[in-house]
Amino acid sequence: MTIYGNLDFVDKHYKPTKTDVRLAYTVTPIKGTTLVRAAEYIAGESSIGTWTKIMTMNPHIAKTLKPHIYKVDKKRSVVKIAYPELLFEPGNMPGILSSIAGNIYGMKELSKLRLDDIGFSDKLLKSFKGPQFGIAGIRKFTKVKNRPLLGTIVKPKVGLTSEQHADIAYEAWIGGLDIVKDDENLTSMSFNNFDKRMKLTFAARRRAEKETGEVKIYLANITAETDEMKRRAKLVKKLGGEFIMIDILTAGWASVQTIRNYAQKLGLAIHAHRAMHGALTRDKKHGMSMLSIAKISRLIGVDQLHIGTANIGKMEGAPDEVLAIEREIEKEVVYADEVHHALHQDWHGIKPVLAVASGGLSPLAIPKLVSLMGTNIVMQFGGGCHGHPDGTRAGATAIRQSWDATEQGISLSQYAKNHPELARALMKWGKKSVKKRTK
Ligand code: CAP
Ligand code: MG
């Protein structure tokens, strides 16, 4: 008998079916509560239970909607629960998360709870759009076939006028970068109005494309209230843009879904910034894994997603975890590996998402980044471009030179001998400069 009366959720012989949504949680019960008991609290509160046996429960509900706790791993303190997909509204991500990542976090019986992985059922998976363009689509319209897409974020993050922003963007594009991105906290300020920034920066892009003969991309940050985001997306489209950028976690999943639908109408790709993810992902015993956030993002349908730099840059994110996320957003089928991919996931043709490595990167990071994350990524350099001693254009050129050296298998120090911009970047950020800095 459980607290839910005869609603017994534990069934270690249960084999999840294609119509189940599978969840893996790392659970830390309070003292005196067993892992099994904690799992029952989770299974009940996230589905059809409440704190006590209720007289209004009926056998039909129990039969069709009761989840099954099919694995309790005491050693790793992980439980796996299979939920009938009938419990969830197709196409409604906020609704799904209100069950599997809702009240359960607040239950007194749990001192910590982390949602490690979500295995979507086929039907639920197919109720979402997935990326409109995906990796192949992005490579097609940027005309960058095999190498990483190289980009910068205009810095300082905020403070520049629209004119200054556009000028710096022009310098970065002329210096050799493919992408210029607004920073995550740059929206529409008194000193840098969104509409004015768009008009000036897209004009700068046209000049840069004409002068370089290369496709240049502007990731305009439309993050705002949802109706305003739609208005901003429409302006980006009118000015010839191909991408919009959204801070997906501060904007919220419902608005990301709305903008995904609207982006379909406008034919715009979505660059997903993950600002605030650390509030959910940092504690490996509590919150939600970045893997789960990445799967939700791919399912709703972003085209590019920040996933970390595998500890090469300034942000936290261990290499094996970042690489597991890269596999999850790129592969057609991902098999459970009981470490990061707790659950198997067949993506059934949902397009792959282009991984974005960003945060604390300088041109010197490119060889290591490529060796770890490959070339099917976007690399973004904010301080690592505008911090170049000779300014943005030289910083952009140094980044391009670092990629060229990496592609040719030449060491950066060797390549710098006849590439002054890279040489100056090495002087500022190379090992010798670090020694000097520590003296
Ligand atoms: C990078 C960045 C990005 C971070 C986000 C910043 O600037 O613009 O937002 O990359 O981190 O504001 O820090 P720098 P993540 O290149 O100057 O560090 O990609 O891990 O979400
Ligand atoms: Mg930023």
Side-chain angles (χ1 to χ4, degrees), residues 409-427:
I410 303 168
S411 74
L412 298 189
S413 50
Q414 182 58 36
Y415 203 75
K417 288 193 173 107
N418 47 16
H419 293 87
E421 294 83 356
L422 183 57
R424 296 270 285 158
L426 282 167
M427 268 169 61

Side-chain angles (χ1 to χ4, degrees), residues 137-203:
I138 291 167
R139 286 201 174 281
K140 191 158 169 264
F141 69 66
T142 57
K143 297 190 177 53
V144 174
K145 294 276 166 275
N146 305 309
R147 64 173 171 78
L149 283 151
L150 303 172
T152 188
I153 310 102
V154 175
K155 301 283 178 182
K157 296 170 100 108
V158 288
L160 297 166
T161 62
S162 308
E163 291 81 358
Q164 290 165 333
H165 182 99
D167 291 346
I168 290 171
Y170 172 79
E171 288 297 304
W173 279 316
I174 287 294
L177 295 182
D178 307 300
I179 292 175
V180 170
K181 172 182 153 311
D182 287 348
D183 225 325
E184 73 281 354
N185 55 336
L186 177 63
T187 53
S188 189
M189 280 73 179
S190 54
F191 46 80
N192 191 340
N193 167 274
F194 178 87
D195 293 36
K196 189 173 173 193
R197 177 166 83 248
M198 292 305 114
K199 289 181 186 101
L200 292 172
T201 309
F202 276 108

Side-chain angles (χ1 to χ4, degrees), residues 278-334:
L280 293 168
T281 60
R282 286 301 298 270
D283 183 340
K284 304 310 171 196
K285 295 272 183 201
H286 189 74
M288 182 185 277
S289 65
M290 183 60 213
L291 180 80
S292 304
I293 292 171
K295 289 177 88 165
I296 293 166
S297 305
R298 179 175 182 182
L299 200 46
I300 291 178
V302 304
D303 295 283
Q304 291 181 178
L305 173 69
H306 285 238
I307 66 165
T309 60
N311 265 355
I312 297 172
K314 70 184 181 188
M315 300 290 194
E316 178 264 353
D320 57 332
E321 186 191 358
V322 172
L323 296 177
I325 296 166
E326 190 176 9
R327 278 197 304 282
E328 193 70 62
I329 62 174
E330 277 187 14
K331 301 284 175 221
E332 171 60 10
V333 179
V334 179

Side-chain angles (χ1 to χ4, degrees), residues 22-187:
R22 291 152 295 121
L23 269 296
Y25 293 100
T26 297
V27 185
T28 311
I30 58 167
K31 215 165 161 347
T33 296
T34 64
L35 186 59
V36 172
R37 186 68 174 217
E40 286 176 332
Y41 277 109
I42 294 166
E45 187 60 37
S46 56
S47 62
I48 53 177
T50 182
W51 62 278
T52 182
K53 184 171 179 251
I54 49 175
M55 301 309 136
T56 46
M57 180 53 72
N58 70 52
H60 174 70
I61 295 174
K63 188 164 171 295
T64 54
L65 298 178
K66 186 184 77 161
H68 298 86
I69 300 164
Y70 64 95
K71 184 154 184 191
V72 177
D73 176 341
K74 290 196 174 68
K75 195 159 145 280
R76 296 171 59 224
S77 208
V78 167
V79 299
K80 291 186 181 178
I81 306 175
Y83 292 80
E85 62 190 2
L86 270 176
L87 264 173
F88 309 107
E89 179 188 353
N92 180 346
M93 191 54 76
I96 293 167
L97 292 173
S98 294
S99 275
I100 61 174
N103 281 1
I104 50 179
Y105 281 111
M107 300 188 84
K108 283 193 293 191
E109 297 293 331
L110 312 176
S111 71
K112 290 198 170 199
L113 175 67
R114 185 179 194 248
L115 195 167
D116 295 324
D117 197 356
I118 314 169
F120 293 98
S121 67
D122 296 353
K123 183 166 166 253
L124 206 59
L125 188 102
K126 290 169 185 168
S127 70
F128 289 91
K129 285 188 163 62
Q132 182 176 181
F133 296 93
I135 296 177
I138 291 167
R139 286 201 174 281
K140 191 158 169 264
F141 69 66
T142 57
K143 297 190 177 53
V144 174
K145 294 276 166 275
N146 305 309
R147 64 173 171 78
L149 283 151
L150 303 172
T152 188
I153 310 102
V154 175
K155 301 283 178 182
K157 296 170 100 108
V158 288
L160 297 166
T161 62
S162 308
E163 291 81 358
Q164 290 165 333
H165 182 99
D167 291 346
I168 290 171
Y170 172 79
E171 288 297 304
W173 279 316
I174 287 294
L177 295 182
D178 307 300
I179 292 175
V180 170
K181 172 182 153 311
D182 287 348
D183 225 325
E184 73 281 354
N185 55 336
L186 177 63
T187 53

